[in-house]
Amino acid sequence: MRVSIDTLDRKRLREQFVDQGAFVYVDRFVPGELTARLAESARALLPAVNRNYLPGHKQGGSVSRHTIDRLAPHIAELYRSRVLVEWLEAITGDKLLPSPQDDPHAYALYYYTREGDHIGWHYDTSYYEGRRYTLLIGVIDDSSCRLDYELHTRTPGASPVADSIQYPPGAIVLFDGDKLRHRITPSKAGEMRVSLTFEYVTDARMRPWRRFVSNMKDAIAYFGFRQVFNVFGAKGRPSAGPDTA
Ligand SMILES: O=C(O)CCC(=O)C(=O)O
Ligand SMILES: [Fe+2]
């Protein structure tokens, strides 16, 4: 990780991040070996994927941080990697904290494996007191899915700028979740795409009502009620079964 990160021009990327309204795309970021390991884990976690379908908004699969902790802890280590977090702090200009232990979204895998899997236009809204940054990492992409996005939609006095990318394995996208309007276009039959998301916050406090709204959203749109509300208690089940509600 260090070798790859150290060769990047931090100053230029920081400038890009600011100019683009808290958004930057880096097409070669994660070293090849690490990307291959992530892809291997993503395939191994296929039986643990929780499928979701929200008509008109979202269709796809997810694996939460709780499942990653159990079955692919090296991803959790990467999330906390000092080298990575320091780099993210340099680019965002903020002191970053990991999302709290009970946030199933802190690190998660998204799967687009069936025809029509997609996510409609949205922001990665922060329900926390402070900002919430999303780091997306390309893991597997044998698909035609695109990340469509609009910059500056909430920058006073600026005109929105629309663009679109297909970020490949090893590439990253970093943005302030409240500032980037984005979507993932629907996959076609026989395609497969997996992305890894890391969420960092600047203030880990959340008001109880917002926590409830955030949990409901995560349970319905992503991970299922069992993962989000831990209905079966902290004892956990030893199985690698799906995170179904
Ligand atoms: O899969 C991706 O690349 C992004 C997914 C996304 O935007 C989300 O789940 O909020
Ligand atoms: Fe998103």
Side-chain angles (χ1 to χ4, degrees), residues 48 50 62-70 101-104 215 218-219 222-232 237 241-245:
N50 183 57
S62 328
V63 166
S64 77
R65 73 93 57 84
H66 303 301
T67 304
I68 289 175
D69 283 343
R70 263 191 315 131
Q101 180 63 32
D102 60 353
D103 187 335
N215 281 344
D218 284 343
Y222 286 95
F223 307 115
F225 282 89
R226 181 184 288 157
Q227 283 291 305
V228 174
F229 292 98
N230 199 12
V231 178
F232 293 91
R237 298 153 300 126
D243 296 349
T244 43

Side-chain angles (χ1 to χ4, degrees), residues 134-145:
T134 298
L135 176 70
L136 295 173
I137 303 173
V139 176
I140 296 174
D141 194 8
D142 299 315
S143 84
S144 57
C145 295

Side-chain angles (χ1 to χ4, degrees), residues 12-72:
R12 189 179 57 84
L13 290 172
R14 165 72 186 153
E15 279 162 13
Q16 261 184 27
F17 184 81
V18 173
D19 290 349
Q20 298 186 126
F23 166 89
V24 77
Y25 166 57
V26 184
D27 63 352
R28 278 190 216 169
F29 187 86
V30 182
E33 252 172 61
L34 184 50
T35 308
R37 184 144 189 238
L38 293 174
E40 198 182 300
S41 298
R43 287 185 200 281
L45 285 168
L46 272 166
V49 168
N50 183 57
R51 292 280 309 172
N52 301 100
Y53 178 54
L54 264 100
H57 179 62
K58 185 177 186 292
Q59 177 188 306
S62 328
V63 166
S64 77
R65 73 93 57 84
H66 303 301
T67 304
I68 289 175
D69 283 343
R70 263 191 315 131
L71 303 174

Side-chain angles (χ1 to χ4, degrees), residues 147-164:
L147 169 70
D148 291 345
Y149 60 89
E150 289 175 11
L151 309 175
H152 299 300
T153 53
R154 292 171 167 175
T155 310
S159 311
V161 175
D163 212 335
S164 176

Side-chain angles (χ1 to χ4, degrees), residues 110 112 119 122 124 136 167 182 184 193 195 222:
Y110 301 143
Y112 305 76
I119 303 182
H122 67 282
D124 291 359
L136 295 173
Y167 65 93
H182 60 284
I184 301 292
R193 177 179 187 275
S195 55
Y222 286 95

Side-chain angles (χ1 to χ4, degrees), residues 113-134:
T113 50
R114 296 192 195 163
E115 184 175 5
D117 281 358
H118 73 285
I119 303 182
W121 285 108
H122 67 282
Y123 294 87
D124 291 359
T125 305
S126 173
Y127 291 90
Y128 290 93
E129 293 292 308
R131 281 185 283 283
R132 178 179 187 240
Y133 289 101
T134 298

